[in-house]
Amino acid sequence: MTPKKRIAIFGSTGSIGTQALEVIAANADKFSVEVLTAQNNADLLIKQAQYFTPNCVVIGNESKYQYVKDALAATPVKVFAGEDALEEVAGMDCYDMMVAAVVGFAGLKPTLRAIESGKAIGLANKETLVVAGDIVMRKAIEKRVPIIPIDSEHSAIFQCLVGEGRNKIEKIILTASGGPFFGKKPNFLVNVKRDHALQHPNWSMGAKITIDSATLMNKGLEMIEAKWLFNLQADQIQVVIHPQSIIHSMVQFEDGSIKAQMGLPDMKLPIQYALSFPNRIANNFPRYDFKKVQTLNFDEPDLRTFRNLALAIEALNKGGNLPCILNAANEIAVYAFLKNRIGFLDMTALVEKAMSKVPFIQNPTLEEYFDSDAEARNYTASLIDL
Ligand code: NAD
Ligand code: MG
């Protein structure tokens, strides 16, 4: 019998983290959970630790350390707290594969540490590649660690590339649902409130990515993610609106042939595929039925209305630290919108301002990425008086 793959879930209390644990619980003969981490949700982290008995857990918010420690006192689970612990645990030998499911820039350092210590990565945290994709991919190649995408579009492309060896990609086609405001114009968007923007038509996800999907920033971040994952030029990445979210993305090869990966929108499938790659595991997730969804539609993205996507394409084209600046400003803007501090269209205005304010660097070092991130955050926050 093959030994169980030992999994570390960074961000285990989130949308991806909890679904990854569901997949693992259903395949307990194949996987064990060795690390769980959460930022604030101590109660769920404790419950998860009691069920899976990992080697250790990390609670990001240090004020909750004693609470978690006491709750797990009767178990062998080690408890750590704080940002540095997150990185240290990422470097431990007790696991084989990290599911990188922290949201935002905070995922970068632990993921880099995991790569440095030779762990395979199942990557949900797209911001890691948006911010420092060149450094992350270089390190992964140097350490010969696989980075297997969990983001559904990138998992689709990854699956389309299996068996293609060195066959050249002409382009990839990233599908986008269009979000809840597909077809709307700025005069509508200006009045959009948090609760409406949080209602995604096809996917149930964490708050930040749900807002990014409503503004189409998510698709822009995914274009940048794809560039690094699949070693593409900006003009090889096309976005197509596909409201049913059945085709998760496509690859067009040199001979014009297009391969697509399809299925119902359910993140458990790409999560499971990343965990079990190169194998597939039987499951009873609901299947796509051609008799039920008979029409698949395709449309152009409206870059004039959803200007976040245009800004992300600018960052993709220019490269350097511009995607890092875009990402940092966007994180601040999205959290301000979620707190009802700014309007829907203000998010775009803030990102645009940060992109023109923070100095451009063509080939940043890792430290320069951190500095650009901090500068863009501080500048954006100063504009909204946070
Ligand atoms: P979420 O908000 O539901 O969960 C985030 C997790 O990260 C939680 O466990 C939280 O405790 C932890 N976390 C938050 N801030 C942290 C910090 N500063 N330091 C350490 N940990 C922190 O988010 P999600 O929807 O699960 O998304 C996670 C990542 O996966 C994001 O990068 C997102 O873009 C990507 N992703 C998500 C989906 C989805 O369906 N949810 C799909 C594709 C990609
Ligand atoms: Mg996606």
Side-chain angles (χ1 to χ4, degrees):
M1 216 183 88
T2 42
K4 289 186 190 182
K5 198 185 268 188
R6 300 170 306 165
I7 310 296
I9 307 206
F10 278 63
S12 65
T13 55
S15 162
I16 293 290
T18 51
Q19 293 182 83
L21 286 174
E22 279 179 50
V23 170
I24 292 173
N27 294 282
D29 56 325
K30 298 185 178 66
F31 308 108
S32 70
V33 177
E34 301 302 333
V35 178
L36 294 169
T37 88
Q39 185 61 12
N40 280 308
N41 193 343
D43 289 321
L44 183 54
L45 182 68
I46 291 163
K47 245 176 84 183
Q48 294 176 338
Q50 284 164 340
Y51 184 87
F52 290 98
T53 350
N55 180 298
C56 62
V57 300
V58 183
I59 179 80
N61 182 338
E62 295 183 46
S63 71
K64 301 196 172 176
Y65 171 73
Q66 201 56 48
Y67 181 73
V68 178
K69 177 107 182 121
D70 290 348
L72 296 176
T75 73
V77 179
K78 296 183 216 108
V79 180
F80 303 101
E83 208 186 313
D84 292 346
L86 208 64
E87 231 186 300
E88 278 159 35
V89 166
M92 281 172 35
D93 288 333
C94 64
Y95 75 100
D96 306 307
M97 180 177 203
M98 170 191 271
V99 173
V102 164
V103 58
F105 178 83
L108 173 59
K109 278 190 190 172
T111 306
L112 266 178
R113 178 65 79 87
I115 296 171
E116 267 159 23
S117 60
K119 312 299 183 352
I121 309 288
L123 188 74
N125 178 246
K126 63 194 79 184
E127 294 92 344
T128 286
L129 288 182
V130 172
V131 171
D134 53 343
I135 291 177
V136 172
M137 294 311 290
R138 218 182 301 134
K139 184 126 289 193
I141 290 165
E142 180 193 317
K143 296 286 177 185
R144 295 167 183 262
V145 310
I147 298 193
I148 305 172
I150 287 179
D151 212 349
S152 57
E153 296 77 1
H154 305 74
S155 175
I157 292 162
F158 190 86
Q159 293 182 55
C160 290
L161 291 174
V162 168
E164 293 294 343
R166 291 179 180 277
N167 288 337
K168 281 209 189 94
I169 298 173
E170 192 165 273
K171 69 173 181 183
I172 62 162
I173 299 130
L174 284 181
T175 51
S177 70
F181 307 130
F182 172 55
K184 301 291 190 215
K185 294 291 167 197
N187 61 356
F188 176 91
L189 295 179
V190 71
N191 294 315
V192 159
K193 294 284 176 287
R194 169 188 193 275
D195 292 345
H196 192 182
L198 278 173
Q199 281 156 22
H200 195 279
N202 302 345
W203 300 95
S204 160
M205 310 177 284
K208 195 244 172 192
I209 184 176
T210 305
I211 300 302
D212 283 343
S213 300
T215 64
L216 291 202
M217 179 57 93
N218 183 51
K219 211 47 56 180
L221 300 179
E222 290 185 352
M223 291 177 83
I224 302 169
E225 179 186 15
K227 167 195 158 100
W228 294 117
L229 274 174
F230 305 113
N231 195 18
L232 301 169
Q233 301 297 316
D235 63 3
Q236 289 177 288
I237 307 168
Q238 183 186 354
V239 170
V240 170
I241 304 289
H242 165 44
Q244 294 84 5
S245 298
I246 297 296
I247 296 182
H248 297 306
S249 278
M250 298 172 256
V251 179
Q252 180 173 317
F253 294 93
E254 275 188 310
D255 59 357
S257 180
I258 298 176
K259 274 188 175 179
Q261 186 264 337
M262 301 169 68
L264 288 178
D266 179 351
M267 286 308 296
K268 289 215 287 290
L269 187 53
I271 292 168
Q272 177 181 294
Y273 187 77
L275 290 173
S276 65
F277 175 79
N279 303 315
R280 291 183 186 272
I281 302 176
N283 61 35
N284 52 15
F285 302 162
R287 268 45 177 167
Y288 171 55
D289 181 349
F290 280 88
K291 292 197 280 297
K292 284 196 189 134
V293 185
Q294 292 183 320
T295 309
L296 301 182
N297 297 95
F298 304 95
D299 217 319
E300 290 271 311
D302 177 357
L303 294 181
R304 285 156 67 105
T305 301
F306 295 91
R307 289 182 49 239
N308 270 0
L309 181 55
L311 290 174
I313 292 171
E314 185 190 334
L316 168 72
N317 283 323
K318 260 187 105 175
N321 63 344
L322 207 53
C324 169
I325 297 165
L326 165 109
N327 177 69
N330 182 58
E331 285 192 26
I332 297 293
V334 169
Y335 288 112
F337 176 74
L338 283 169
K339 286 186 190 143
N340 293 314
R341 296 290 300 272
I342 60 170
F344 191 82
L345 295 178
D346 296 334
M347 290 189 276
T348 307
L350 288 168
V351 172
E352 188 165 32
K353 279 187 183 154
M355 285 171 72
S356 59
K357 172 78 177 181
V358 179
F360 179 71
I361 307 173
Q362 186 65 68
N363 288 305
T365 62
L366 189 57
E367 286 66 33
E368 284 170 329
Y369 278 127
F370 289 134
D371 291 346
S372 301
D373 173 81
E375 196 174 339
R377 266 167 214 278
N378 291 337
Y379 174 68
T380 310
S382 76
L383 294 176
I384 19 184
D385 202 19
L386 280 179

